[in-house]
Amino acid sequence: MSATDDKYYLTEVDKYPESIYCMHDAMGENDISIHAHHKGQFLYTEGGIVHVETPQKTYFLPARHYMWIPPGILHSIHPGSADVIMRNLYFPVEKDDKPFYEVTGIYPVNDLLLQMVIFSNRWSGDLNRDDKSAHLFALAFKHILPEVSIYNLPLALPYAKHKRLNEIIRFMSTNLQELIIFPELAHQFGFSERSLSRLFHSDLGMSFIQYLTLLRMMLALRLLLEDGMSVKEVAALVGYNSVPTFSTTFYKIVGMRPSDYVKLKTGVLGG
């Protein structure tokens, strides 16, 4: 048994099926092994990017965003730095709840939701109907999520099942600062352009350029938040010669300019 097997996320969250479970946890450098809950999970993190892996995808959860993990979804959690703090609320999901709660997603946190997360810091463990004010607040928290979570950010990369495509993706991942040209990439790995294009669509469900762009943005998020690099430095390291082009692409994916995203690093919540 690993040192983390007795942690709350494996033993306590589902002990009382009707309760709302609340936990704020300093992760340190500990990974959380693969597991699932009967309850839906609201996950907000501070202090760095967190990687959440499911059997199908790797999700990247940056600052000022939250992840919703539906009940029954296998996942493991991997902090990007030793300073990460997780703020979790686990909710029972009912059959007549909105479809929102059935979909894994990453969403920006607006000011209202941020204040509600801050308010929830005072609680730990199970919130039951006996504690009427806390339980009603937590229920309101749950039910407001679909109203304030309009844009499910594509901050996830699917796993490639095709062996040769995995080799291509590894090459792309380690050469993001270089100019990666699709015809040259196809030739280098023994594909025609048409067959490689079809493979990206059939295996990953997206085009080469869509995958490459997401790959670059995932690295950019980490460099901006964890390594403290300037926007200009990050743009170059992820393969953009033009800072405005990088900034526009970042905005389309993340929902804010990289210069604004960097400012979020100093806006972490109090414990």
Side-chain angles (χ1 to χ4, degrees):
M1 180 179 291
S2 71
T4 58
D5 278 348
D6 61 345
K7 294 286 282 186
Y8 72 89
Y9 46 82
L10 295 177
T11 61
E12 300 299 317
V13 170
D14 294 319
K15 182 179 288 187
Y16 303 105
E18 295 185 359
S19 77
I20 297 168
Y21 195 86
C22 182
M23 177 57 68
H24 307 283
D25 190 23
M27 290 185 70
E29 297 179 344
N30 295 322
D31 291 337
I32 297 177
S33 58
I34 193 162
H35 64 286
H37 306 291
H38 297 307
K39 297 173 181 175
Q41 180 177 358
F42 171 96
L43 170 60
Y44 182 94
T45 65
E46 304 165 12
I49 290 174
V50 165
H51 308 268
V52 180
E53 295 187 2
T54 71
Q56 292 77 34
K57 296 181 179 180
T58 296
Y59 292 85
F60 297 77
L61 181 59
R64 198 64 191 257
H65 296 75
Y66 82 88
M67 184 170 183
W68 175 259
I69 305 173
I73 297 294
L74 285 168
H75 61 283
S76 58
I77 302 175
H78 311 273
S81 74
D83 299 322
V84 167
I85 296 174
M86 293 198 308
R87 304 201 181 277
N88 297 282
L89 287 167
Y90 299 86
F91 299 97
V93 175
E94 311 297 339
K95 291 182 179 179
D96 58 349
D97 279 341
K98 293 184 177 181
F100 167 86
Y101 302 104
E102 301 173 5
V103 179
T104 304
I106 291 178
Y107 304 90
V109 169
N110 66 11
D111 290 340
L112 171 62
L113 197 55
L114 180 62
Q115 291 305 314
M116 295 180 81
V117 173
I118 292 173
F119 193 79
S120 76
N121 288 356
R122 65 191 64 195
W123 298 313
S124 179
D126 291 291
L127 301 179
N128 296 297
R129 296 181 189 275
D130 294 341
D131 189 350
K132 189 172 182 180
S133 61
H135 191 262
L136 285 175
F137 179 89
L139 277 180
F141 190 112
K142 173 191 173 183
H143 289 297
I144 203 174
L145 292 180
E147 308 303 322
V148 300
S149 307
I150 306 302
Y151 184 34
N152 188 344
L153 292 168
L155 299 180
L157 291 172
Y159 288 123
K161 297 176 283 293
H162 193 282
K163 182 179 178 181
R164 291 174 66 195
L165 186 56
N166 260 317
E167 294 174 0
I168 293 173
I169 289 172
R170 281 195 295 271
F171 173 83
M172 292 165 58
S173 300
T174 55
N175 291 276
L176 286 177
Q177 68 188 79
E178 308 296 334
L179 183 62
I180 300 176
I181 301 172
F182 185 71
E184 294 180 2
L185 186 69
H187 177 74
Q188 179 179 342
F189 285 89
F191 286 89
S192 68
E193 292 178 46
R194 188 174 182 180
S195 62
L196 184 57
S197 178
R198 285 179 173 175
L199 184 57
F200 266 92
H201 279 285
S202 64
D203 198 337
L204 301 174
M206 62 181 68
S207 69
F208 160 78
I209 194 64
Q210 287 173 320
Y211 193 90
L212 177 60
T213 300
L214 280 174
L215 204 58
R216 284 175 164 157
M217 292 305 105
M218 299 303 100
L219 177 58
L221 288 167
R222 180 174 66 79
L223 294 175
L224 286 168
L225 187 63
E226 295 180 12
D227 295 2
M229 294 184 177
S230 69
V231 173
K232 184 177 181 179
E233 289 173 322
V234 171
L237 283 173
V238 299
Y240 287 85
N241 294 323
S242 164
V243 173
T245 300
F246 165 70
S247 180
T248 298
T249 304
F250 189 96
Y251 180 83
K252 288 178 179 178
I253 300 296
V254 179
M256 66 182 70
R257 300 286 176 184
S259 55
D260 293 327
Y261 179 79
V262 170
K263 296 175 184 176
L264 295 176
K265 186 174 183 179
T266 59
V268 299
L269 304 180

